């Protein structure tokens, strides 16, 4: 984190710490969104600082960052979501996820070292008739086979 960002982060934490009694989880979410705007993500160090400032368990903050749309623990250019719902799983969804993990060198929930991709999973992408499915940003890929993964990734610089 740059010194300027660190200084602004401290100001945010101080402000939210002073008004902590006026709100609950909504106030924490607002703080996390401001950190995201400042840093481009909510890195683990900022999560820990937010948890301390708001007197909240670090695990609760990490769960919010993971679950809330628009909050990211690390910056990335593209979000890959592999469906793990029952229909996709029955048609080879686990093999597709494994192919993405192998091609990217990361596990689900992680960001590649170069910041290009976040690999994520979702229980259902609501496209069961064309399983297994994967979404990258807003693009849906239907009937994805593991051997198609390198070709799909090549479309995203």
């Amino acid at each position: 984190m740059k010194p300027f960002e660190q200084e602004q982060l401290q100001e945010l934490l101080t402000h939210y710490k002073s008004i902590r009694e006026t709100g609950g989880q909504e106030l924490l979410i607002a703080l996390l969104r401001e950190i995201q705007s400042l840093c481009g993500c909510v890195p683990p160090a900022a999560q820990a600082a937010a948890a301390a400032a708001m007197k909240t368990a670090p695990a609760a903050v990490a769960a919010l960052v993971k679950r809330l749309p628009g909050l990211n623990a690390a910056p990335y250019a593209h979000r890959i979501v592999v469906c793990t719902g029952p229909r996709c799983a029955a048609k080879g969804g686990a093999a597709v996820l494994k192919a993405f993990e192998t091609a990217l060198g990361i596990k689900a929930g992680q960001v590649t070292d170069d910041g290009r991709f976040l690999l994520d999973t979702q229980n259902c992408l609501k496209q069961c008739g064309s399983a297994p499915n994967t979404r990258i940003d807003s693009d849906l890929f239907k009937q994805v086979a593991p051997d198609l993964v390198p070709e799909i990734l090549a479309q995203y610089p």
Side-chain angles (χ1 to χ4, degrees), residues 2-155:
K2 299 172 188 163
F4 175 73
E5 289 175 344
Q6 185 66 35
E7 195 175 295
Q8 285 189 308
L9 176 61
Q10 276 310 120
E11 288 177 20
L12 275 174
L13 293 171
T14 300
H15 171 71
Y16 276 87
K17 189 175 182 179
S18 72
I19 61 170
R20 159 180 69 226
E21 303 303 321
T22 65
Q25 187 173 8
E26 297 83 17
L27 194 61
L28 174 58
I29 292 169
L31 171 58
L32 295 174
R33 291 197 190 285
E34 287 201 49
I35 293 171
Q36 173 88 21
S37 293
L38 174 66
C39 304
C41 63
V42 187
Q47 291 178 33
M54 300 303 288
K55 293 189 178 180
T56 302
V61 173
L64 281 174
V65 171
K66 183 175 181 172
R67 302 257 183 243
L68 288 175
L71 292 180
N72 312 304
Y76 60 87
H78 304 286
R79 180 177 184 225
I80 301 169
V81 180
V82 178
C83 184
T84 56
R87 225 6 112 78
C88 286
K91 293 191 173 189
V96 172
L97 176 60
K98 182 69 175 159
F100 274 107
E101 289 177 340
T102 301
L104 298 170
I106 59 173
K107 297 287 186 193
Q110 297 179 333
V111 175
T112 56
D113 289 339
D114 62 3
R116 280 181 59 209
F117 296 104
L118 163 67
L119 180 60
D120 219 343
T121 60
Q122 187 172 317
N123 185 37
C124 188
L125 293 178
K126 312 279 189 264
Q127 298 292 322
C128 300
S130 59
N133 299 297
T134 297
R135 186 176 57 234
I136 301 180
D137 301 331
S138 61
D139 302 326
L140 181 67
F141 294 89
K142 300 177 179 183
Q143 299 176 328
V144 177
D147 60 331
L148 295 176
V149 167
E151 180 182 323
I152 292 170
L153 290 173
Q155 297 176 41

